Amino acid sequence: MDVATLPVRGAAQAADWATTSQDEADRNRGRELREREERIGELSRDYEKLAEDCNDGDDDACREAVTVRREMDELIESLPSDLPEDD
């Protein structure tokens, strides 16, 4: 290795380590979307149970159902609208 090129190669390597590749960014984005979708599924199940309890007269369940539904709506709004649908 030439001593003159050492600083340039070192800087290039440091820049490489500091940046995220497009592939990494895509993987991270996919993971984030899957986690949101999983959370929406959990909230949906919780909401259904709370709605049943609310219909049976449990006022606390009614209030909690409203909170859960708000969180679900926020997460749903944050998902891209062009996601492929599951078949």
Side-chain angles (χ1 to χ4, degrees):
M1 185 179 308
D2 188 353
V3 176
T5 62
L6 189 58
V8 173
R9 289 184 184 185
Q13 184 64 50
D16 218 19
W17 286 332
T19 58
T20 303
S21 71
Q22 186 61 47
D23 190 44
E24 278 180 291
D26 291 345
R27 275 195 311 271
N28 291 341
R29 178 74 173 140
R31 184 179 308 114
E32 179 184 329
L33 290 173
R34 282 189 304 280
E35 288 171 356
R36 282 190 212 171
E37 289 172 340
E38 288 173 12
R39 179 66 179 146
I40 290 169
E42 292 169 0
L43 290 170
S44 179
R45 289 185 292 279
D46 291 346
Y47 178 77
E48 288 177 22
K49 173 77 170 103
L50 289 166
E52 284 179 26
D53 292 346
C54 178
N55 288 334
D56 291 339
D58 185 343
D59 291 337
D60 290 335
C62 295
R63 284 187 286 278
E64 194 171 343
V66 169
T67 302
V68 168
R69 185 66 210 193
R70 284 184 184 146
E71 185 178 349
M72 282 174 54
D73 290 343
E74 288 174 10
L75 285 171
I76 290 168
E77 288 176 14
S78 73
L79 292 174
S81 60
D82 61 345
L83 284 178
E85 294 192 22
D86 292 337
D87 291 328

